[in-house]
Amino acid sequence: MQAHRELSDARIVGAAQDQGRTLIFHIGDHKTGTTTIQHAFTTRLVRIGGVQPLYTASLSHNHLPQLFRAVLRDRNSPTAEKGRQVIAGLAAKIAASDAPICVISAESFEGFDPAGLRRILDEHFAGLFDRIRIIAYVRPHLQRFVSGYAERTKIGILSGDMESFFQTCLAHDVFRFAPRFRKWRKVFGADFVLRPFVRTALIDGSLMTDFIRSAVGDVPFTVDPTDNQNESLSLEDLLRVKYLHAQIKGRSEKFHHNYGWALTRMLGDMPRPETATRIRLHRSLAERAAEHFRPDARRLDEAFFPADRFLEQALSDDVAAACELPQLATAEAMFSPSEMRSLDLTGRLIAEMLDNGKTPWAEHFHRRRLEHLHGAES
């Protein structure tokens, strides 16, 4: 007798919708409200059928993709051994819980091989569930381009402007969605659900309602209110963060990631200024980007949204909403000499404090983010 059932035997998508145990595996994409979903579950704001789902992460499960890859590719490495331990621990927590729904959420699965995830689920988790649902959201191309530019700038990966970022997208074929999502559907079939991250397309105009309904159907649920956990930075604040990243060059990507999140959290705690500029594409770039992304938008609509054509329509709408001229791309161009002096002083002070070297600052910034989310006592 097998120790677990294969996923093909565990599927109960078409029948017994309200019976059995369900794993909701949320794989992103980036910049589609993943932080909102993760914060709602990790802070225990959600009840489905009157019961809190099992959510085992203090923030997200973004540590899993790297460990899963190691388990799949190099079974003898230390990372693979750690991965097996993490998988065993996660499976034990799930087995020990009587929650009928478990949620795993990691937008870092965006670039993961779906066949690899299927193998992991078959070998380690299928026997724990009667139904497994893989859920992803896709953001229209130009909106994803802008949000991706802002996010990469926020965490210190990008130092250029939107034009240079677009050239990078062209060179590396970034934000091509249709082939990737077709692979997910080929591997998981009806268990894979792709939803458009378009407000008018979300059920009741709510991301959380859309997420839960798409995963488990028409089951009663509640979500307690919460603040927006990942509000977009204004252009002014993004340029401040960008400048402060530039003052501490030479540190690791992990450091800049957590440093950027720390700065963003602090800005979010401050009163929002009366005037703030929304980050926008300018028309020339929007038109060129729309032309580049249109074939992919058309293919994705044909495969997943044939009746509504969400992605292709969004390209036209977003070009029409573009501003005429490129926005400023540096703090020096945006701010007065007096404010630049204050920014420079702040940057120099931070750099000197970090050079002390006695505190693991990346871990400190991440810990403060978790304390801000869960409370310092936790």
Side-chain angles (χ1 to χ4, degrees), residues 314-329:
L315 286 178
S316 300
D317 294 342
D318 293 338
V319 168
C323 56
E324 291 301 322
L325 299 175
Q327 292 182 317
L328 300 177

Side-chain angles (χ1 to χ4, degrees), residues 339-356:
E339 180 160 0
M340 283 306 305
R341 184 176 176 83
S342 296
L343 269 177
D344 190 48
L345 175 62
T346 302
R348 292 186 184 204
L349 178 62
I350 292 171
E352 185 168 319
M353 293 175 68
L354 294 177
D355 285 339
N356 181 25

Side-chain angles (χ1 to χ4, degrees), residues 154-173:
K154 179 182 81 175
I155 61 176
I157 295 176
L158 285 184
S159 58
D161 58 11
M162 281 194 187
E163 188 68 52
S164 62
F165 181 50
F166 181 57
Q167 297 306 315
T168 298
C169 292
L170 293 178
H172 298 282
D173 204 18

Side-chain angles (χ1 to χ4, degrees), residues 246-300:
Q247 306 312 301
I248 55 165
K249 290 181 179 179
R251 288 173 173 81
S252 69
E253 184 174 308
K254 176 183 177 182
F255 176 87
H256 279 280
H257 183 281
N258 288 320
Y259 178 63
W261 268 101
L263 293 172
T264 302
R265 171 177 55 79
M266 294 172 190
L267 286 166
D269 288 339
M270 298 169 66
R272 198 163 179 88
E274 293 183 4
T275 58
T277 306
R278 182 167 61 90
I279 302 169
R280 298 168 65 190
L281 276 169
H282 62 277
R283 192 166 308 281
S284 171
L285 179 54
E287 290 172 347
R288 284 179 282 129
E291 181 179 359
H292 170 71
F293 291 126
R294 193 173 302 280
D296 186 64
R298 185 175 295 124
R299 285 191 289 268
L300 192 68

Side-chain angles (χ1 to χ4, degrees), residues 11-214:
R11 293 180 185 169
I12 314 178
V13 176
Q17 292 284 323
D18 58 347
Q19 298 179 12
R21 203 172 195 209
T22 300
L23 169 62
I24 304 173
F25 210 109
H26 175 219
I27 61 169
D29 271 358
H30 287 85
K31 309 312 297 176
T32 59
T34 53
T35 303
T36 296
I37 292 170
Q38 291 158 0
H39 282 217
F41 283 106
T42 194
T43 54
R44 303 171 67 84
L45 301 178
V46 180
R47 287 183 176 270
I48 302 175
V51 179
Q52 286 182 340
L54 176 66
Y55 189 81
T56 60
S58 59
L59 185 59
S60 76
H61 295 89
N62 280 324
H63 59 291
L64 292 181
Q66 179 184 8
L67 297 176
F68 282 11
R69 287 189 181 95
V71 169
L72 291 166
R73 296 175 182 175
D74 185 5
R75 291 184 174 272
N76 297 320
S77 70
T79 305
E81 176 58 30
K82 179 181 178 181
R84 286 189 289 272
Q85 293 174 3
V86 168
I87 290 172
L90 179 57
K93 288 180 181 178
I94 293 170
S97 171
D98 58 3
I101 293 174
C102 174
V103 179
I104 294 175
S105 177
E107 63 270 31
S108 291
F109 276 107
E110 179 176 323
F112 203 84
D113 174 27
L117 181 60
R118 176 68 177 262
R119 181 176 155 193
I120 291 286
L121 293 176
D122 276 345
E123 292 181 359
H124 301 281
F125 296 98
L128 299 173
F129 298 98
D130 302 290
R131 180 178 178 225
I132 294 177
R133 205 67 148 163
I134 310 295
I135 295 187
Y137 283 82
V138 59
R139 189 167 192 162
H141 292 78
L142 297 192
Q143 298 170 31
R144 178 68 193 274
F145 173 82
V146 173
S147 62
Y149 164 78
E151 181 72 10
R152 287 164 170 78
T153 302
K154 179 182 81 175
I155 61 176
I157 295 176
L158 285 184
S159 58
D161 58 11
M162 281 194 187
E163 188 68 52
S164 62
F165 181 50
F166 181 57
Q167 297 306 315
T168 298
C169 292
L170 293 178
H172 298 282
D173 204 18
V174 179
F175 305 142
R176 194 159 68 99
F177 302 135
R180 176 162 56 88
F181 286 126
R182 284 202 299 260
K183 287 181 182 178
W184 283 98
R185 182 151 70 180
K186 182 178 180 181
V187 171
F188 287 98
D191 288 333
F192 174 66
V193 178
L194 180 66
R195 295 290 296 155
F197 190 68
V198 177
R199 181 159 297 280
T200 56
L202 299 176
I203 299 173
D204 294 338
S206 163
L207 175 61
M208 291 304 302
T209 298
D210 193 273
F211 180 80
I212 295 169
R213 288 275 185 261
S214 298

